[in-house]
């Protein structure tokens, strides 16, 4: 059964055209994360939510925004995508704040910017 | 910011070969280390959570060890199969034991039939 779902799997957008990526979970986990992974690089945390408490990473560009309307859904909005934003975007969840809790990932959305 | 390094970046092995790769991290302020396997077109999935120096964990033919004093963890695959082909990622919590994780760049394993 799918537990963390990301839609779409592939997204093509034009330079400067806003795009929204979505993530949903059936695990009822408190924490949801968004990661960006560029080719051959490590996944990089953009932001995360603990319930409705939003935590932005200091080096996440202002161009990236997120919404979590309820426990199950989380969205990543890219207001004006640039060529450098082409990447794989991974959503993950975890139960609570314990460092021993594994993260559950979605399959990712691969974003192409033309 | 925590520096997590994985080596090698990629490797090819023949079916039936055993292999291992490394995740290195600063030995100070260690809290936990997570290993994930990421098969192409699928979701990364958790393999192990390592917490104590000397930890050794096993799942099928895959095992992992942890040395927090010298700052490394090894992942071993015994008798590799084509289905073991994946990228293996390690991740550690950032400073101060927060639940924000720093990932390595991964080791991409290809098992040739």
């Amino acid at each position: 059964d799918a537990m963390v779902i990301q839609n779409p799997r592939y997204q093509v957008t034009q330079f400067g055209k806003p795009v929204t990526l979505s993530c949903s979970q059936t695990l009822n986990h408190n924490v949801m994360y968004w990661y960006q992974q560029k080719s051959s690089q490590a996944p990089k945390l953009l932001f995360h939510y603990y319930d409705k408490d939003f935590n932005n990473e200091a080096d996440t560009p202002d161009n990236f925004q997120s919404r979590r309307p309820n426990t199950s859904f989380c969205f990543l909005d890219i207001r004006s995508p640039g060529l450098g934003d082409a990447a794989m975007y991974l959503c993950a969840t975890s139960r609570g704040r314990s460092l021993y809790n594994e993260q559950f990932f979605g399959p990712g959305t691969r974003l192409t910017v033309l | 910011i925590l520096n997590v390094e994985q080596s090698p970046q990629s490797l090819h092995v023949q079916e039936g070969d055993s292999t291992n790769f490394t995740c290195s991290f600063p030995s100070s302020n260690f809290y936990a280390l997570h290993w994930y396997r990421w098969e192409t077109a699928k979701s990364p999935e958790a393999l192990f959570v390592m917490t104590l120096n000397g930890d050794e964990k096993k799942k099928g033919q895959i095992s992992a060890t942890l040395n927090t004093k010298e700052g490394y963890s090894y992942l071993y695959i015994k008798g590799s199969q084509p289905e073991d082909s994946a990228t293996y990622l390690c991740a550690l919590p950032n400073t101060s034991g927060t639940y924000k994780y720093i990932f390595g760049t991964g080791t991409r394993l290809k098992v040739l039939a």
Side-chain angles (χ1 to χ4, degrees):
Chain A
D1 290 340
M3 294 186 289
V4 182
I5 302 164
Q6 290 189 246
N7 286 308
R9 294 290 303 273
Y10 300 90
Q11 176 74 58
V12 180
T13 191
Q14 291 180 326
F15 183 94
K17 185 175 181 182
V19 66
T20 295
L21 310 182
S22 73
C23 176
S24 63
Q25 55 138 336
T26 59
L27 298 162
N28 204 34
H29 283 172
N30 303 95
V31 189
M32 294 189 79
Y33 304 84
W34 278 106
Y35 292 91
Q36 177 194 63
Q37 189 200 30
K38 296 185 179 180
S39 181
S40 299
Q41 296 183 21
K44 178 180 175 298
L45 182 65
L46 294 173
F47 22 61
H48 73 279
Y49 282 89
Y50 185 89
D51 293 328
K52 284 195 173 290
D53 182 24
F54 176 70
N55 297 270
N56 196 33
E57 292 301 297
D59 56 354
T60 298
D62 292 340
N63 199 23
F64 289 81
Q65 305 284 317
S66 185
R67 297 170 282 136
R68 188 179 186 186
N70 53 53
T71 300
S72 301
F73 286 88
C74 195
F75 300 97
L76 170 61
D77 301 308
I78 309 176
R79 291 192 297 190
S80 181
L83 298 178
D85 297 327
M88 173 72 84
Y89 290 88
L90 289 167
C91 173
T93 72
S94 69
R95 179 167 20 98
R97 286 192 160 116
S98 171
L99 299 175
Y100 313 128
N101 288 342
E102 64 194 90
Q103 292 182 57
F104 292 79
F105 285 86
T109 294
R110 184 168 294 283
L111 178 68
T112 300
V113 182
L114 301 177
Chain B
I1 294 181
L2 191 65
N3 187 33
V4 179
E5 295 185 352
Q6 291 189 248
S7 62
Q9 189 172 16
S10 67
L11 75 162
H12 291 66
V13 301
Q14 292 292 325
E15 182 177 359
D17 286 351
S18 295
T19 187
N20 66 85
F21 24 92
T22 307
C23 174
S24 303
F25 52 88
S27 56
S28 58
N29 295 323
F30 175 85
Y31 295 95
L33 183 149
H34 295 228
W35 279 104
Y36 291 89
R37 174 171 60 196
W38 190 3
E39 295 178 65
T40 302
K42 295 187 178 180
S43 306
E45 61 174 355
L47 285 173
F48 306 112
V49 179
M50 320 285 288
T51 56
L52 298 174
N53 184 45
D55 258 358
E56 187 167 336
K57 300 213 172 174
K58 189 173 180 183
K59 182 182 287 189
Q61 298 299 100
I62 303 177
S63 60
T65 61
L66 176 67
N67 185 326
T68 60
K69 295 183 191 294
E70 297 184 33
Y72 64 84
S73 176
Y74 290 147
L75 192 77
Y76 299 90
I77 303 178
K78 183 180 176 184
S80 306
Q81 299 297 310
E83 53 266 32
D84 295 321
S85 298
T87 296
Y88 292 83
L89 293 162
C90 67
L92 289 90
N94 203 358
T95 56
S96 303
T98 65
Y99 54 100
K100 298 191 291 185
Y101 291 85
I102 303 297
F103 280 80
T105 54
T107 292
R108 182 176 294 180
L109 173 66
K110 177 75 172 175
V111 182
L112 305 169

